[in-house]
Coordinates of all heavy atoms in Angstrom, one line a residue:
L4 N 5.5 1.6 2.8 CA 5.4 0.3 2.3 C 6.1 -0.7 3.2 O 7.2 -0.4 3.6 CB 6.1 0.2 0.9 CG 6.1 -1.2 0.3 CD1 4.7 -1.7 0.0 CD2 6.9 -1.2 -1.0
L11 N 7.6 -21.5 4.9 CA 7.7 -22.5 5.9 C 9.2 -23.0 6.1 O 9.5 -23.3 7.3 CB 6.8 -23.8 5.4 CG 6.8 -24.9 6.4 CD1 6.1 -24.5 7.7 CD2 6.0 -26.0 5.7
P14 N 15.0 -20.0 5.9 CA 15.4 -19.2 7.2 C 15.5 -17.7 6.9 O 15.3 -16.9 7.9 CB 16.9 -19.8 7.4 CG 17.3 -20.5 6.2 CD 16.1 -20.8 5.5
G28 N -3.7 -11.2 10.5 CA -5.2 -10.9 10.6 C -5.9 -10.8 9.3 O -5.2 -10.8 8.3
V35 N -0.7 -9.0 -2.1 CA -0.2 -10.3 -1.8 C 0.5 -10.9 -3.1 O -0.2 -10.9 -4.1 CB -1.3 -11.3 -1.4 CG1 -0.8 -12.6 -1.2 CG2 -1.9 -10.9 -0.1
E49 N -7.2 -24.6 0.3 CA -7.1 -23.9 1.5 C -6.2 -22.8 1.6 O -6.4 -21.7 2.2 CB -6.8 -24.9 2.7 CG -8.0 -25.9 2.9 CD -7.8 -27.2 2.0 OE1 -7.2 -27.2 1.1 OE2 -8.5 -28.1 2.4
P69 N 2.6 -22.8 -12.4 CA 2.5 -23.4 -13.7 C 1.1 -23.8 -14.1 O 0.4 -24.4 -13.3 CB 3.5 -24.7 -13.5 CG 3.4 -25.0 -12.1 CD 3.2 -23.7 -11.3
V70 N 0.8 -23.5 -15.3 CA -0.5 -23.8 -15.9 C -0.4 -24.4 -17.2 O 0.3 -24.0 -18.1 CB -1.4 -22.5 -16.0 CG1 -2.8 -22.8 -16.6 CG2 -1.7 -21.9 -14.5
N71 N -1.1 -25.5 -17.4 CA -1.2 -26.2 -18.8 C -2.6 -26.0 -19.3 O -3.4 -26.9 -18.9 CB -0.7 -27.6 -18.7 CG -0.8 -28.4 -20.0 OD1 -1.3 -27.8 -20.9 ND2 -0.2 -29.5 -20.1
T77 N -7.2 -29.3 -13.3 CA -6.0 -29.4 -12.7 C -5.7 -30.9 -12.4 O -6.6 -31.6 -12.0 CB -6.0 -28.6 -11.3 OG1 -6.1 -27.2 -11.6 CG2 -4.7 -28.9 -10.5
D80 N -2.5 -36.1 -8.2 CA -2.6 -37.5 -7.8 C -1.7 -37.8 -6.6 O -0.5 -37.9 -6.7 CB -2.2 -38.4 -9.0 CG -2.3 -39.9 -8.7 OD1 -2.5 -40.3 -7.5 OD2 -2.2 -40.7 -9.6
P81 N -2.4 -37.7 -5.4 CA -1.6 -37.8 -4.2 C -0.9 -39.2 -4.0 O 0.0 -39.3 -3.2 CB -2.7 -37.7 -3.0 CG -4.0 -37.5 -3.8 CD -3.8 -37.5 -5.2
G94 N 6.2 -32.1 -13.9 CA 7.2 -31.3 -14.4 C 8.3 -30.9 -13.5 O 9.2 -30.2 -13.8
G97 N 9.2 -31.6 -6.9 CA 8.6 -31.0 -5.7 C 7.1 -30.6 -6.0 O 6.4 -30.2 -5.0
L99 N 3.1 -31.0 -6.6 CA 2.0 -32.0 -6.3 C 0.9 -32.0 -7.2 O -0.1 -32.7 -7.2 CB 1.5 -31.6 -4.8 CG 2.5 -31.6 -3.7 CD1 1.8 -31.2 -2.5 CD2 3.2 -32.9 -3.7
Y102 N -1.6 -27.3 -12.8 CA -2.9 -26.6 -12.9 C -3.3 -26.6 -14.3 O -2.5 -26.5 -15.3 CB -2.7 -25.2 -12.4 CG -2.7 -25.1 -10.9 CD1 -1.4 -25.0 -10.3 CD2 -3.7 -25.1 -10.1 CE1 -1.3 -24.9 -8.9 CE2 -3.7 -25.1 -8.7 CZ -2.4 -25.1 -8.2 OH -2.4 -25.1 -6.8
D105 N -8.9 -24.8 -15.4 CA -9.7 -24.5 -14.3 C -9.2 -23.7 -13.2 O -9.8 -23.3 -12.2 CB -10.3 -25.8 -13.7 CG -9.2 -26.6 -13.0 OD1 -8.0 -26.5 -13.4 OD2 -9.6 -27.4 -12.1
S113 N -12.2 -19.9 -4.1 CA -11.4 -19.6 -2.9 C -11.7 -18.1 -2.4 O -11.2 -17.8 -1.4 CB -9.9 -19.8 -3.1 OG -9.6 -21.1 -3.5
S119 N -8.1 -12.1 -13.3 CA -7.5 -12.1 -14.6 C -6.3 -13.0 -14.6 O -5.5 -13.1 -13.8 CB -7.0 -10.7 -14.9 OG -8.1 -9.8 -14.9
G125 N 6.2 -22.2 -21.3 CA 7.5 -22.6 -21.2 C 8.2 -22.2 -19.8 O 7.6 -21.6 -19.1
V128 N 15.0 -20.7 -17.6 CA 16.1 -21.0 -16.8 C 17.1 -19.9 -16.8 O 17.5 -19.4 -17.9 CB 16.7 -22.3 -17.3 CG1 18.0 -22.7 -16.5 CG2 15.8 -23.5 -17.3
V138 N 14.8 -11.3 -18.0 CA 13.7 -11.8 -17.3 C 13.2 -10.9 -16.1 O 12.0 -10.6 -16.0 CB 13.9 -13.2 -16.8 CG1 12.8 -13.7 -15.9 CG2 14.2 -14.1 -18.0
I146 N 4.8 -6.4 -12.9 CA 4.3 -6.1 -11.6 C 4.1 -4.8 -11.5 O 2.9 -4.3 -10.9 CB 5.4 -6.6 -10.5 CG1 5.4 -8.1 -10.6 CG2 5.0 -6.0 -9.1 CD1 6.5 -8.6 -9.6
V156 N 13.1 -5.4 -8.0 CA 12.9 -6.9 -8.3 C 14.1 -7.5 -8.1 O 15.3 -7.1 -8.6 CB 12.4 -7.1 -9.7 CG1 12.4 -8.5 -10.2 CG2 10.9 -6.5 -10.0

Side-chain angles (χ1 to χ4, degrees):
L4 178 67
L11 183 59
V35 170
E49 292 87 343
V70 176
N71 182 346
T77 296
D80 183 347
L99 304 179
Y102 289 97
D105 66 334
S113 301
S119 298
V128 177
V138 170
I146 293 171
V156 172

